[in-house]
């Protein structure tokens, strides 16, 4: 087992107290299951859930590698003979039956990606990787044997907890759990032709392709799994994607499109189920739409203007944003190369969104030199900002697409973000004309330095910062 440890100290005692309290809380969530440490979810959830704790284990690996590995291994070791992975595992303390295994629902599937990452974090254990390959292959076979009850090539969700959307209105009172392998026809409008469960298969098959490339490099297995993952992506696009609306929509037991716009499109991106076109459409038209998902508290579970949206103070995936959604959003962006997936109107907002999460995320997007991305323009010879990312093709030929101005303000709106976030100069609404300003720079070491000057009606503002030998230096003149 690879030894890991993390230590952090800061001069500010209050920040040190916050850090220490967070570390202590996480440490208290490490419990013993059969004398083996695991990181439970906490907050009253004293087990390991498939939708949270493989991911949580990976996040905790640098602090407790053994617990992080067990958060994967307990699911792998307890796979059922037919290939079903337990959704929840609790420790009972009973000598004969120490573990309580739940198989009545899927409870999400945030597992393949994180389990593979643990192989790399813990010293490339081939035996572990072979076991993971076997588990993922068996579960994929289970999905396609049991969860396409009508044989139309689209996998199904059979209950509320298959996707972990507790109390969500879109299930119309359907059952929370559903044991067995017989589809729940007659239960509300279930089974649903599900974007989530299709994405589970994509994620598993994509991971199997990556593992096969390591374990069996002389065979065609990696290519075969990649092809099978792409087949599921193709079905998801042809059957659940509504191109006129720029999003996926589940279908009910009668194969009718369910007219409810759900954040689960972002989950599909987390699993890698969209192509770049689909991701671009959903992010640009919906994720960053202030009437839908970019609300004052962003990322509600159902679009805020949808008839099934419900704001409830309780555990309810019908409205209020969920912490898991924020966690999944990071990988969803990473899967699409930190490139812009936004449209004409929402592109000015994307860097603000990312900077609110972490300035590193915004700067990673900013430094992208490929299409779509701001640096792709000067890389391709631009001396202006174009109306379209691909206004000029890499071979220097002007694209034949319509509405293709070679000098346009839209993507140039990034300058506003540079002033407001990188250099940190923000006007105060109650004191127009920069009589007052909020100065809050957001430096990032990869940019080395930035500076600005503004001559306003009220006077001159100068802000600059730079990194010297790893130390940040700044100056503000008003």
């Amino acid at each position: 087992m690879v030894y890991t440890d993390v230590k952090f100290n800061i001069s500010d005692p209050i920040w040190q107290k916050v850090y220490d309290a967070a570390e202590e809380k996480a440490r208290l969530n490490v419990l013993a299951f059969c004398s083996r440490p695991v990181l439970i979810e906490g907050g009253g959830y004293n087990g390991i859930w498939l939708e949270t704790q493989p991911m949580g284990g990976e996040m905790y690996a640098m602090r407790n590698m053994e617990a992080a590995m067990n958060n994967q291994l307990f699911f792998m070791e307890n796979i059922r003979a037919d290939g079903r992975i337990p959704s929840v595992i609790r420790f009972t303390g009973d000598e004969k039956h120490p573990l309580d295994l739940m198989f009545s629902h899927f409870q999400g599937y945030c597992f393949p990606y994180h389990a593979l990452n643990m192989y790399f974090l813990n010293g490339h254990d081939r035996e572990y990787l072979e076991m993971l390959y076997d588990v993922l292959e068996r579960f994929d076979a289970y999905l396609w044997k049991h969860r396409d009850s009508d044989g139309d090539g689209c996998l199904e969700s059979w209950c509320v907890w298959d996707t972990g959307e507790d109390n969500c209105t879109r299930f119309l009172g359907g059952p929370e759990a559903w044991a067995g392998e017989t589809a729940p026809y007659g239960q509300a409008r279930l089974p649903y032709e599900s974007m989530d469960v299709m994405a589970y298969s994509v994620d598993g098959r994509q991971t199997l392709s990556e593992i096969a490339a390591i374990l069996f490099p002389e065979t065609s297995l990696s290519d075969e799994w990649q092809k099978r993952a792409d087949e599921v992506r193709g079905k998801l696009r042809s059957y659940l994607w509504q191109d006129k609306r720029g999003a996926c929509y589940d279908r009910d037991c009668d194969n009718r499109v369910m007219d409810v716009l759900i954040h689960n499109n972002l989950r599909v991106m987390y699993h890698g189920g969209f192509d770049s076109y689909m991701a671009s459409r959903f992010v640009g038209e919906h994720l960053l739409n202030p009437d839908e998902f970019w609300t004052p508290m962003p990322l509600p579970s159902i679009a805020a203007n949808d008839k099934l949206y419900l704001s409830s103070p309780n555990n309810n995936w019908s409205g209020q944003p969920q912490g898991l959604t924020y966690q999944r959003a990071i990988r969803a962006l990473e899967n699409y190369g930190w490139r812009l997936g936004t449209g004409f109107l929402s592109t000015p907002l994307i860097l603000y969104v990312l900077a609110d999460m972490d300035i590193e995320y915004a700067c990673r997007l900013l430094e992208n030199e490929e299409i779509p991305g701001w640096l792709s323009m000067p890389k391709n010879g631009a001396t202006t900002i174009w109306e379209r990312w691909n206004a000029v093709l890499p071979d220097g030929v002007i694209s034949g697409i319509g509405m293709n101005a070679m000098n346009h303000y839209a993507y140039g709106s990034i300058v506003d973000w540079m002033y407001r976030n990188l250099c940190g100069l923000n006007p105060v609404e109650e004191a127009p004309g920069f009589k007052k300003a909020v100065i809050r720079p957001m430096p990032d070491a990869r940019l080395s330095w930035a500076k600005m000057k503004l001559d306003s009606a009220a006077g001159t503002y100068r802000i600059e910062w730079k990194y010297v030998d790893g130390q940040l230096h700044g100056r503000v003149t008003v």
Side-chain angles (χ1 to χ4, degrees), residues 8 80 101 111 160 216 263 291 342 348 359 422 436 438 469:
F8 174 82
R80 216 164 57 181
L101 308 175
F111 173 67
V160 176
F216 316 112
H263 85 287
D291 294 325
T342 55
I359 187 62
L422 279 183
K436 293 182 180 179
V438 174
D469 297 328

Side-chain angles (χ1 to χ4, degrees), residues 58 112-122 128 132 210:
E58 184 201 343
Y113 170 80
H114 306 287
L116 177 56
N117 285 348
M118 290 306 304
Y119 163 77
F120 296 108
L121 291 172
N122 192 38
Y128 167 83
L132 178 59
E210 295 174 31

Side-chain angles (χ1 to χ4, degrees), residues 123-165:
H124 301 77
D125 183 339
R126 184 179 179 90
E127 184 177 346
Y128 167 83
L129 195 62
E130 290 172 345
M131 182 180 182
L132 178 59
Y133 184 91
D134 176 68
V135 167
L136 297 180
E137 184 177 36
R138 289 165 62 190
F139 184 67
D140 188 71
Y142 172 90
L143 285 177
W144 288 99
K145 180 178 180 180
H146 296 288
R147 285 306 185 97
D148 182 16
S149 64
D150 58 2
D152 66 355
C154 187
L155 295 172
E156 300 158 351
S157 175
W158 286 3
C159 61
V160 176
W161 289 346
D162 267 351
T163 53
E165 295 172 79

Side-chain angles (χ1 to χ4, degrees), residues 351 359-360 362-368 375 414 417-418 421-423 442-451 465-468 472:
L351 288 176
I359 187 62
E360 178 187 355
C363 289
R364 284 177 64 180
L365 175 60
L366 186 64
E367 69 180 2
N368 171 53
L375 297 187
I414 187 179
W417 181 84
M418 292 176 175
N421 283 58
L422 279 183
C423 291
M442 301 180 73
D444 186 84
R446 73 188 66 213
L447 298 176
S448 300
W449 61 269
K451 61 181 178 179
W465 56 260
K466 62 181 177 179
Y467 283 89
V468 179
L472 178 64

Side-chain angles (χ1 to χ4, degrees), residues 35-93:
S35 302
R36 295 161 59 186
V38 299
L39 179 71
I40 65 167
E41 185 169 344
Y45 293 92
N46 294 320
I48 51 176
W49 270 252
L50 190 59
E51 69 176 346
T52 63
Q53 291 320 100
M55 175 168 50
E58 184 201 343
M59 294 167 66
Y60 203 62
M62 293 299 100
R63 290 160 172 81
N64 188 327
M65 183 62 74
E66 186 178 4
M69 286 296 294
N70 285 332
N71 275 37
Q72 324 301 320
L73 287 169
F74 269 104
F75 290 104
M76 295 161 63
E77 292 165 356
N78 289 286
I79 187 172
R80 216 164 57 181
D82 63 356
R84 181 79 177 259
I85 298 173
S87 57
V88 184
I89 303 175
R90 296 184 180 92
F91 180 62
T92 67

Side-chain angles (χ1 to χ4, degrees), residues 22 39 104-105 123 127 148 155 161 171 177 188-189 194 257 269 357 360 375 382 410 414 430:
L39 179 71
S104 61
H105 57 284
E127 184 177 346
D148 182 16
L155 295 172
W161 289 346
F171 287 92
R189 292 167 66 183
S194 171
V257 174
M269 291 173 59
M357 298 166 71
E360 178 187 355
L375 297 187
I414 187 179
E430 294 77 16

